Amino acid sequence: MKLVFMGTPDFAVPALNALIGGGHEVQAVVTQPDKPKGRGKEMQMPPVKETALAHGIPVFQPQRIRGNEVFLEELRRMEPDTIVVAAFGQLLPTEVLTLPRYGCINIHASLLPKYRGAAPIQWVIIDGEQETGITTMYMEEGLDTGDMLLKTVVPIAPDETGGSLHDKLAVAGGPLILKTLEGLEAGSLVRIPQTGETCYAKMLTKALGNVDWSMGAAAVERLIRGLSPWPGTYSRLGDKTVKFWKSEVYGGAVSEETRSLPCGTVAAVTKDAILIKTGDGLLAVKELQLSGKKRMDAGAFLRGYPLHTGDKMEG
C-alpha cells in the first residue's frame, strides 16, 4: 500500500518502523519542525524525522497544514492510499482527511471511546485504570471521535509509570497498524462508531505535578507514577523544591496523633522511607530528588538532607 506517515515523537517511531518493515511504500513522512532543545538550545530533529532520513524517506515539516496549499498539492501529487497518523501534533483539515483512498487512520494510545485527547497514557495511571491499549480509528474533524477499527489491550502493572507504559504502547502500535492496513485492503474491517462512556485526557502541564497532599495516599502514589518521567511531581520543602520518583501507600498502623497532623507533614522517617501525611493515610516516599541534586533513594537523601517529624511539604 502507498502511504504517507504523520508523526513526531518517540511514540510514533515503532509504528513507522513496522510500516517500513511490513513492505508498505512509505512515500513521505510529515512531522513537526525541528526545535531548539537543551541548555545550548541546539536545533534537534523529531525522532520520526531521524528514522525517516535513516531509511531515505522524504520528510516534510510544515509549520501549519491547515491553509497550506503548497503542502496540500504535494500530498495530492503523491496520491497515497492512506495516511497513517501517530502523535503528529496538528489537527488535520478536511482536505487531508478526504484525500486518501482508504482515509486517514490514527494510532491512538487508549481503548476508545475512553481517554480521548492529548495525554491518555498518563491519565489511565493517574485514574487507577487496570488496563489500556491501542485503538486504530478513522480520523475526522472531531478530536479522537472517528469510527474505531481494531484494538489491542495492554495491562497496567501495579508499578507502571507514564514512561514504561508509553514504551509498551508504542511497541503495540506497530503490529496493530499492520493488521489494520491488511484488513482495509481486504475489505474485512468493520467500522465501529464510538458510543458509551468517554472521558478526555487533558494535556499535561508542570503545574499538574504540584502535589496536593489533601488527596489520599493512593491518589498521590498514582500521580507520581503517572507523571514520571515528565512533567514529574514535586513539593516545596522550606526554600527547596523536592521531586518525587517512587512511593507506596503505607500499610502499617496509623495512630490517632498521626491522623490529626496537617496534610503534607512528615509523620515519620525510617531508614528507607519518608512517611508523609495525606488526606487519607500515609505515603511512603522511597525515591526523590532535591533541586540541583541527583535522584536518590530515601536513605541516601536523608543522609545528606535530614528530615524530622513535623517538617512540612508545601504545595
Side-chain angles (χ1 to χ4, degrees):
M1 185 181 289
K2 295 193 306 179
L3 59 88
V4 170
F5 184 83
M6 294 185 176
T8 299
D10 290 322
F11 177 82
V13 170
L16 175 57
N17 280 328
L19 292 169
I20 296 168
H24 293 281
E25 181 187 347
V26 182
Q27 299 169 290
V29 159
V30 185
T31 188
Q32 297 285 70
D34 297 358
K35 291 184 178 179
K37 288 190 177 181
R39 292 184 178 180
K41 297 298 181 182
E42 293 184 6
M43 296 300 288
Q44 187 169 333
M45 295 186 292
V48 162
K49 178 181 179 180
E50 293 182 358
T51 302
L53 293 179
H55 289 277
I57 300 171
V59 175
F60 295 87
Q61 296 178 275
Q63 195 73 41
R64 284 177 57 85
I65 288 181
R66 192 176 297 275
N68 188 336
E69 191 58 38
V70 173
F71 172 73
L72 292 174
E73 188 55 41
E74 284 287 348
L75 278 185
R76 295 186 189 105
R77 179 186 60 77
M78 286 183 273
E79 298 182 337
D81 295 316
T82 187
I83 295 174
V84 175
V85 182
F88 172 49
Q90 293 188 44
L91 293 177
L92 303 184
T94 302
E95 299 94 319
V96 175
L97 296 174
T98 57
L99 190 152
R101 173 185 174 190
Y102 292 107
C104 294
I105 307 299
N106 186 40
I107 303 169
H108 184 75
S110 81
L111 298 175
L112 291 171
K114 294 188 71 175
Y115 295 97
R116 297 170 178 163
I121 297 172
Q122 293 80 9
W123 280 106
V124 293
I125 296 174
I126 295 169
D127 290 348
E129 299 284 351
Q130 300 299 303
E131 63 180 23
T132 184
I134 295 289
T135 305
T136 53
M137 56 178 290
Y138 279 104
M139 297 182 71
E140 57 182 33
E141 292 210 52
L143 182 61
D144 301 329
T145 57
D147 291 348
M148 301 176 292
L149 292 168
L150 295 176
K151 295 183 182 183
T152 187
V153 175
V154 175
I156 299 173
D159 61 349
E160 201 80 72
T161 66
S164 64
L165 187 57
H166 168 281
D167 294 348
K168 290 179 182 178
L169 292 172
V171 170
L176 193 67
I177 190 59
L178 290 180
K179 188 175 180 181
T180 300
L181 296 184
E182 181 182 337
L184 284 176
E185 285 189 294
S188 59
L189 294 186
V190 177
R191 299 177 66 135
I192 306 171
Q194 294 191 43
T195 59
E197 182 182 0
T198 186
C199 59
Y200 179 70
K202 66 181 180 181
M203 188 175 295
L204 303 180
T205 64
K206 289 186 178 180
L208 184 63
N210 190 359
V211 176
D212 176 1
W213 294 102
S214 68
M215 299 192 304
V220 177
E221 189 272 339
R222 294 196 304 268
L223 184 72
I224 290 171
R225 287 190 289 112
L227 298 186
S228 175
W230 193 91
T233 46
Y234 60 92
S235 282
R236 297 290 297 176
L237 180 62
D239 61 350
K240 303 287 187 180
T241 298
V242 178
K243 188 171 183 178
F244 306 104
W245 287 100
K246 287 185 180 179
S247 66
E248 60 186 44
V249 177
Y250 178 67
V254 180
S255 68
E256 284 301 319
E257 181 182 3
T258 297
R259 293 178 194 276
S260 67
L261 291 172
C263 295
T265 302
V266 175
V269 174
T270 71
K271 65 178 182 179
D272 64 352
I274 301 163
L275 304 185
I276 303 175
K277 170 68 167 54
T278 73
D280 182 14
L282 300 179
L283 185 74
V285 176
K286 297 283 193 173
E287 193 173 318
L288 62 169
Q289 182 177 5
L290 196 65
S291 54
K293 303 294 182 180
K294 294 181 178 180
R295 171 178 173 175
M296 60 188 77
D297 62 52
F301 181 92
L302 291 166
R303 286 192 291 274
Y305 196 93
L307 292 179
H308 307 283
T309 300
D311 287 342
K312 188 85 185 311
M313 299 284 182
E314 301 282 359

